[in-house]
């Protein structure tokens, strides 16, 4: 154990929308766990859903599920890590005993643990996680490593899609996770990848990261005709990475016969869309979903190390803990905000 500081600063939510920077006891790693000093923690749309109470979170809560940090205390029985090592951590684990865990689908666990959602996360000076959920990131900068979790989620999305070589793909949403997914589709065999979004700033960035076309669309539905003109037969793969249910609804009209729609953004749980079941039947359309990830960190880190996933320009805003509210506002309202990170 290193020198112990017995209290730390952390964002603590007592209930949705009610948070403050609080001085709380510094957690100690139990057997099999690591404690790390958080260098950076990404803020994402999910944190916004936690904030407004529309995501399955357990309060009181310190959110933050995209950490990179430096190991500073090692619990009993942990091998393979050292004090001072940079690591990233996935916060997601199954219970191992529910029926979904026992049939090999732990991401669908009935009692899913998600640090930063159901347990203490990364918007704090220190965080504790099971060592089994921690991965070496000593060869990456914190600015690259902090994108491990969004990259892992994108890799799981690609696994769900099973893109055929030569496909034409369309990704709605040019946020960090949309652009990482678009890159993985391009390098995973798609012949052409289009990103559609309302923000010029984000679309310009998309083009620097290797997508083939960037199309501006409006939240009012404007610009969709350009997507249809560019692919009159439709897109083999259409991804909604926005979480806007209106986009998910329009995706059906853009997918090619025999194609696949991936719901990848977090929509509000009580929203519905209308689909035409005859269309799904007659055109053999697949509608699938991708929720988070549970085993994709090794592949994500490999893609970040090799540069197959590029991250330059993705981090646009950085805030200290006591400006967490500003960070949330930036994520939801600033059109120039891409990846927003907290540096505790
Ligand atoms: Zn996230
Ligand atoms: Zn389970």
């Amino acid at each position: 154990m290193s020198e112990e500081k017995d209290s730390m600063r952390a964002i603590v939510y007592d209930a949705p929308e009610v948070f403050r920077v609080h001085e709380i006891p510094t957690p100690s790693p139990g057997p099999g766990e690591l404690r790390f000093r958080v260098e950076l923690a990404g803020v994402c749309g999910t944190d916004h859903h936690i904030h407004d109470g529309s995501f399955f979170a357990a309060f009181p809560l310190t959110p933050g599920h995209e950490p990179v940090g430096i190991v500073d205390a090692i619990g009993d029985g942990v091998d393979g890590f050292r004090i001072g090592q940079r690591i990233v951590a996935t916060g997601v684990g199954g219970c191992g005993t529910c029926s979904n865990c026992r049939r090999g689908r732990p991401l669908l666990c009935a009692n899913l643990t998600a640090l930063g959602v159901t347990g203490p996360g990364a918007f704090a000076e220190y965080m504790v996680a099971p060592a089994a959920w921690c991965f070496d990131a000593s060869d990456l900068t914190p600015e690259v490593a902090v994108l491990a979790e969004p990259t892992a989620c994108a890799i799981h999305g690609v696994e769900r899609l099973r893109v055929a070589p030569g496909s034409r793909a369309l990704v709605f949403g040019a946020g960090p996770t949309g652009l990482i997914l678009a890159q993985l589709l391009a390098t995973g065999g798609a012949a052409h990848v289009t990103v559609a979004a309302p923000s010029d700033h984000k679309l310009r960035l998309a083009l620097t990261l290797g997508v083939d076309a960037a199309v501006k669309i409006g939240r009012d539905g404007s610009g969709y005709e350009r997507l249809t003109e560019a692919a009159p037969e439709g897109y083999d793969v259409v991804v909604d990475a926005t979480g806007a249910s209106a986009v998910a609804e329009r995706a059906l009209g853009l997918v090619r016969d025999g194609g696949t729609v991936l719901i990848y953004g977090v929509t509000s749980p009580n929203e519905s869309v209308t689909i035409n079941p005859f269309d799904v039947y007659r055109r053999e359309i697949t509608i699938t979903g991708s929720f988070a990830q549970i085993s994709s960190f090794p592949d994500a880190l490999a893609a970040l190390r090799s540069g197959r996933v590029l991250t330059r320009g993705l981090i646009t805003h950085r805030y200290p803990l006591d400006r967490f509210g500003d960070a949330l506002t930036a994520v939801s309202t600033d059109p120039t905000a891409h990846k927003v990170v907290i540096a505790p």
Side-chain angles (χ1 to χ4, degrees):
M1 301 281 278
S2 67
E3 172 194 332
E4 190 97 21
K5 181 177 166 248
D6 32 324
S7 76
M8 67 167 188
R9 298 167 70 242
I11 300 295
V12 179
Y13 275 83
D14 295 319
E17 297 185 8
V18 185
F19 72 87
R20 66 214 142 104
V21 182
H22 211 47
E23 193 81 24
I24 61 172
T26 306
S28 295
E33 293 181 330
L34 296 177
R35 183 177 69 201
F36 50 95
R37 177 175 55 76
V38 179
E39 295 184 285
L40 294 177
V43 184
C44 89
T46 302
D47 295 309
H48 226 279
H49 292 284
I50 291 169
H51 174 85
D52 65 24
S54 63
F55 203 73
F56 66 100
F59 297 95
L61 176 69
T62 292
H65 58 271
E66 302 179 2
V68 51
I70 301 290
V71 175
D72 94 311
I74 298 178
D76 289 341
V78 174
D79 285 323
F81 290 92
R82 58 187 160 75
I83 302 291
Q85 180 178 5
R86 176 167 296 136
I87 56 147
V88 291
T90 172
V92 181
C95 69
T97 56
C98 76
S99 65
N100 281 342
C101 282
R102 288 164 68 103
R103 67 192 182 98
R105 301 294 299 273
L107 186 55
L108 306 179
C109 174
N111 316 299
L112 195 72
T113 297
L115 298 179
V117 181
T118 64
F123 298 144
E125 290 181 273
Y126 295 89
M127 178 171 169
V128 164
W133 299 1
C134 296
F135 300 86
D136 177 50
S138 50
D139 56 342
L140 297 173
T141 64
E143 288 76 16
V144 171
V146 75
L147 290 156
E149 195 272 350
T151 304
C153 291
I155 282 176
H156 181 62
V158 173
E159 287 166 353
R160 298 283 296 151
L161 272 173
R162 296 205 194 105
V163 182
S167 298
R168 191 172 187 108
L170 168 61
V171 177
F172 284 104
T177 184
L179 290 192
I180 291 171
L181 183 69
Q183 291 182 59
L184 287 167
L185 293 175
T187 56
H192 191 280
V193 179
T194 300
V195 170
S199 158
D200 289 316
H201 177 87
K202 293 181 184 177
L203 290 174
R204 274 195 300 274
L205 182 61
L207 290 171
T208 72
L209 295 176
V211 310
D212 301 285
V215 174
K216 184 166 179 165
I217 51 163
R219 294 186 202 283
D220 55 357
S222 61
Y224 278 77
E225 68 288 349
R226 292 175 56 208
L227 295 172
T228 311
E229 281 160 19
E233 292 185 10
Y235 298 82
D236 300 279
V237 163
V238 180
V239 178
D240 168 35
T242 69
S245 47
V247 170
E249 189 159 22
R250 286 202 179 93
L252 269 295
L254 288 158
V255 74
R256 187 180 196 164
D257 294 353
T260 301
V261 173
L262 174 68
I263 306 296
Y264 179 69
V266 186
T267 55
S268 164
N270 38 32
E271 283 175 21
S272 300
V273 299
T274 304
I275 61 162
N276 179 330
F278 183 81
D279 197 37
V280 173
Y281 152 80
R282 177 64 185 86
R283 302 204 292 124
E284 297 205 333
I285 294 165
T286 302
I287 302 171
T288 186
S290 177
F291 158 67
Q293 62 79 39
I294 204 161
S295 54
S296 302
F297 262 63
D299 295 340
L301 288 164
L304 290 168
R305 281 189 181 110
S306 70
R308 197 61 89 212
V309 166
L310 299 173
T311 59
R312 57 169 185 258
L314 283 183
I315 296 178
T316 52
H317 292 51
R318 177 191 289 246
Y319 295 96
L321 267 186
D322 48 18
R323 292 190 60 206
F324 177 68
D326 294 334
L328 277 184
T329 305
V331 168
S332 59
T333 62
D334 182 345
T336 69
H338 228 272
K339 194 61 187 173
V340 173
V341 296
I342 298 291

